């Protein structure tokens, strides 16, 4: 739950970044499609292509480095 506000902050500070959150308990088909075994799971897309992924908590600075 602590990752959500970090991602929201990044999106608010960078208008070109869009954050989409999915509750995998309510959307099990998505967790199956993306093979999500642990949460939080973050997938990074650029131009419609997945360019990164991480599982677990990361600092805002570490996330920005991935972007």
């Amino acid at each position: 739950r602590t990752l959500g506000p970090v991602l929201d902050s990044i999106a608010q500070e960078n208008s070109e970044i869009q954050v989409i959150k999915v509750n995998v308990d309510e959307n099990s088909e998505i967790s199956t499609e993306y093979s999500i075994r642990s949460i939080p799971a973050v997938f990074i897309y650029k131009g419609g292509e997945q360019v990164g992924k991480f599982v677990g908590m990361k600092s805002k600075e570490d996330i920005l480095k991935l972007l």
Side-chain angles (χ1 to χ4, degrees):
R1 293 184 186 250
T2 59
L3 185 60
V6 173
L7 295 175
D8 290 341
S9 172
I10 290 170
Q12 288 175 355
E13 294 170 5
N14 301 279
S15 61
E16 70 279 3
I17 295 174
Q18 182 179 17
V19 174
I20 300 169
K21 299 176 190 175
V22 177
N23 183 324
V24 294
D25 292 328
E26 296 174 2
N27 299 282
S28 61
E29 66 280 353
I30 291 176
S31 62
T32 301
E33 180 180 345
Y34 288 91
S35 301
I36 297 171
R37 304 273 186 260
S38 299
I39 55 174
V42 176
F43 296 81
I44 301 168
Y45 286 84
K46 185 173 184 176
E49 298 290 322
Q50 185 177 331
V51 296
K53 173 183 175 181
F54 68 88
V55 176
M57 185 62 189
K58 289 202 179 292
S59 70
K60 183 176 181 178
E61 293 76 22
D62 287 342
I63 295 170
L64 287 170
K65 288 176 188 175
L66 296 172
L67 304 177

